[in-house]
């Protein structure tokens, strides 16, 4: 880690990996197999991070390994169209019919950035509406945070993001219908698009309230704005049709990533044909990528989607998720510690909080110091849980009930330490 910190800011290639939020030093991983990761010292961990979402089949699923090995033999990049891209697009559309056409890119960040550009071009409008606590990658226009006056002024979410770039991004609280209604009353005819994580996973998992996404659909339709679902986490994680099928709300554009790359760098955005055909070269909206549709990434993605369509994969993930939720809740109840578990299928966050968590302020108000203690307790017992209270944990089809038993035992021990530390405080 010392050598890494000398060469890489924070010793990492993406901030959350540094363990800043929970303290301590991250393990350096050398190998993964099924639900397990192994570090350089040979320690084994039950992996509840799964590369922050992509590895829904676990590490080194045989079909993914086979597809990648075969593709390696044929070459890694061609700079021309391939049959596999067409197959991947067709497999995606079959499962997610709102995606009539799509463009493959290299990350979720690129997918959302490009979808927003397309939405602004297609509507001829500039205002973008997003929600506090939803993350849509790190492109400038989407790195905005709520300013003081709601729906008046947004602030850059990072130094280096020009005020002018986020001036056209409105940031509203999640799960607050009245705030969205007010924004559309004030500025409806100027709103190009609403971009939203249909089930947010980046303030920790939060569930959309009854009718919230339906309201977004109604308001955008009524005002000629577009609805963009950022399904970079939820796409093919919450079921074959993503959150949109599960929740019964159809967006105009969808952003994908994570699972559709099977562990390789990939993203995609797609939707209505009349919108997507405005992209270059069919239309004037520019978007491009040297390695977009990369054969290795596409091979891993195709193998993943096909393995996911085997009978019983999603029901299995749901069963395991429900069991984990029950186990965590029971362990906390046993010790009289307040715990909220937010879960949909195989994505889950627990919060050390007295009341249900429905938005970013709720997630912030949970006990993050206690979370750090629990994180260390889990890690020291061989469970790699996401190193921040603002992340989702994930399950894969390679996780087994025995794995959950080990996890819950470690969690129980961690709760014991937490109760003790609270007693001392
Ligand atoms: C991870 C994520 C992104 C960004 O994807 P990258 O591949 O990290 O650029 C965008 N939106 C959501 C909802 C995400 O979870």
């Amino acid at each position: 880690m010392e050598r890494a910190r000398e060469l890489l800011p924070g010793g990492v290639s993406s901030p959350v990996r540094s363990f800043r939020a929970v303290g301590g030093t991250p393990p350096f991983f050398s190998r993964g197999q099924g639900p397990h990761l192994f570090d350089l010292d040979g320690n084994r961990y039950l992996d509840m991070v799964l590369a922050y979402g992509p590895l829904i089949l676990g590490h080194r699923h045989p079909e993914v390994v086979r597809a990648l090995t075969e593709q390696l033999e044929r070459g890694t990049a061609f700079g021309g169209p391939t049959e596999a891209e067409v197959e991947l697009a067709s497999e995606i559309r079959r499962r997610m019919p709102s995606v009539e056409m799509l463009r493959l890119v290299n990350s979720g960040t690129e997918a959302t950035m490009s979808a927003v550009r397309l939405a602004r071009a297609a509507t001829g409008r500039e205002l973008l509406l997003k929600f506090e606590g939803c993350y849509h990658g790190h492109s400038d226009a989407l790195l905005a945070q709520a300013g003081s006056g709601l729906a008046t002024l947004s602030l850059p979410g990072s130094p280096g993001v020009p005020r002018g770039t986020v001036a056209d991004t409105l940031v509203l609280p999640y799960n607050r219908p009245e705030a969205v209604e007010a924004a559309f009353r004030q500025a409806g005819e100027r709103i190009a698009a609403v971009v939203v994580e249909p089930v947010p996973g980046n303030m920790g998992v939060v569930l959309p309230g009854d009718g919230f996404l339906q309201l977004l659909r109604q308001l955008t339709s009524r005002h000629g704005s577009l609805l963009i679902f950022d399904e970079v986490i939820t796409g093919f994680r919450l079921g074959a049709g993503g959150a949109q099928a599960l929740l019964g709300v159809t967006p105009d554009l969808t952003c994908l990533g994570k699972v559709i790359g099977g562990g390789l760098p990939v993203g995609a955005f797609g939707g209505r044909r009349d919108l997507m055909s405005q992209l270059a070269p069919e239309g004037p909206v520019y978007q491009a990528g040297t390695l977009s549709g990369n054969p290795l990434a596409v091979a891993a993605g195709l193998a993943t989607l096909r393995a996911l369509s085997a009978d019983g994969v999603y029901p299995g993930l749901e069963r395991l998720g429900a069991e984990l939720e029950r186990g965590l809740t029971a362990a906390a109840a046993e010790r009289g510690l307040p715990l909220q578990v937010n879960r949909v299928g195989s994505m889950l966050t627990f919060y050390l909080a007295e009341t249900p968590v429905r938005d970013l302020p709720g997630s912030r108000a949970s006990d993050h110091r206690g979370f750090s203690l629990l994180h260390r307790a889990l890690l020291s017992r061989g469970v790699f849980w996401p190193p921040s209270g603002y992340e989702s944990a994930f399950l894969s089809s390679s996780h087994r009930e025995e794995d959950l038993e080990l996890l819950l035992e470690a969690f129980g021990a961690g709760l014991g330490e937490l109760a003790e530390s609270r007693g001392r405080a």
Side-chain angles (χ1 to χ4, degrees):
M1 192 60 184
E2 260 169 52
R3 247 175 78 212
R5 285 191 180 125
E6 173 73 23
L7 293 161
L8 310 165
V12 292
S13 300
S14 192
V16 72
R17 300 178 196 170
S18 70
F19 275 37
R20 283 286 162 94
V22 290
T25 303
F28 273 58
F29 296 117
S30 55
R31 193 165 72 81
Q33 181 61 47
H36 295 116
L37 275 169
F38 298 83
D39 70 14
L40 285 175
D41 300 323
N43 299 306
R44 191 183 83 160
Y45 303 87
L46 178 66
D47 187 6
M48 299 300 292
V49 179
L50 295 167
Y52 296 89
L55 298 175
I56 193 166
L57 303 172
H59 297 269
R60 298 190 70 252
H61 186 280
E63 293 303 318
V64 177
V65 172
R66 188 158 64 111
L68 281 171
T69 311
E70 285 175 8
Q71 186 56 46
L72 262 182
E73 294 297 326
R74 293 192 293 264
T76 56
F78 304 138
T82 60
E83 195 174 15
E85 288 165 80
V86 184
E87 279 176 38
L88 180 60
S90 131
E91 296 275 349
I92 289 173
R93 186 174 68 179
R94 202 153 59 77
R95 292 165 175 76
M96 206 176 254
S98 77
V99 179
E100 296 171 346
M101 286 182 109
L102 65 85
R103 162 94 16 119
L104 292 168
V105 295
N106 303 286
S107 68
T109 295
E110 261 188 84
T112 49
M113 177 183 80
S114 309
V116 166
R117 181 181 306 144
L118 179 60
R120 284 174 160 163
T123 55
R125 304 173 180 183
E126 298 201 342
L127 270 187
L128 178 70
L129 207 154
K130 81 175 280 290
F131 296 96
E132 198 182 31
C134 285
Y135 176 67
H136 305 294
H138 63 90
S139 72
D140 281 0
L142 289 163
L143 271 191
Q145 58 189 21
S148 47
L150 263 193
T152 51
L153 186 68
S154 300
L155 301 172
S158 159
V161 173
R163 248 169 314 177
T165 308
V166 293
D168 292 316
T169 308
L170 299 184
V171 184
L172 300 182
Y174 195 77
N175 265 340
R176 295 260 284 282
E178 67 284 1
V180 189
E181 280 162 351
F184 269 94
R185 256 198 317 277
Q186 270 181 32
E189 77 292 349
R190 292 193 295 129
I191 296 174
V194 173
V195 58
V196 66
E197 286 182 81
V199 177
N202 286 289
M203 49 183 139
V205 174
V206 162
L207 276 59
D210 273 349
F212 184 65
L213 298 173
Q214 284 82 353
L215 177 74
L216 299 184
R217 180 65 280 177
Q218 283 161 11
L219 287 173
T220 46
S221 296
R222 191 180 309 151
H223 289 88
S225 315
L226 299 177
L227 181 60
I228 305 174
F229 273 4
D230 181 348
E231 294 225 40
V232 170
I233 290 184
T234 54
F236 307 103
R237 159 122 346 239
L238 298 189
Q244 51 196 271
L246 190 72
L247 303 170
V249 179
T250 305
D252 302 296
L253 292 170
T254 299
C255 303
L256 297 166
K258 297 193 170 120
V259 167
I260 63 157
L264 273 82
V266 143
F269 66 102
R272 280 165 38 194
R273 176 178 304 277
D274 64 304
L275 298 173
M276 291 306 293
S277 55
Q278 297 183 36
L279 269 190
E282 271 187 58
V285 183
Y286 195 68
Q287 198 288 327
T290 303
L291 290 174
S292 294
N294 175 261
L296 279 176
V298 168
L302 256 180
T304 299
L305 290 195
R306 285 176 177 157
L308 281 172
S309 58
D311 278 346
V313 177
Y314 289 110
L317 285 167
E318 168 61 29
R319 253 197 318 279
L320 219 56
E323 195 172 314
L324 178 57
E325 178 182 351
R326 266 195 309 276
L328 295 171
T329 308
E334 208 173 287
R335 285 164 189 80
L337 285 165
L339 190 84
Q340 308 293 327
V341 180
N342 285 356
R343 177 185 74 87
V344 182
S346 56
M347 60 190 282
L348 169 154
T349 300
F350 66 77
Y351 302 91
L352 293 163
E354 306 266 356
T355 52
V357 174
R358 306 182 64 240
D359 51 21
L360 185 63
S363 171
R364 281 214 180 105
S366 69
D367 176 7
H368 288 273
R369 191 189 293 248
F371 175 85
S372 303
L373 187 153
L374 281 177
H375 183 269
R376 277 193 296 282
L378 287 168
L379 193 70
S380 70
R381 290 171 178 83
V383 177
F384 182 44
W385 195 268
S388 155
Y390 298 101
E391 297 285 343
S392 170
F394 296 104
L395 287 160
S396 78
S397 58
S398 69
H399 283 67
R400 298 283 168 263
E401 285 189 19
E402 309 87 85
D403 299 318
L404 293 196
E405 281 167 31
L406 174 126
L407 192 167
L408 291 171
E409 210 176 289
F411 188 71
L415 286 176
E417 289 176 24
L418 178 65
E420 229 176 86
S421 90
R422 282 184 175 175
R424 275 199 307 272

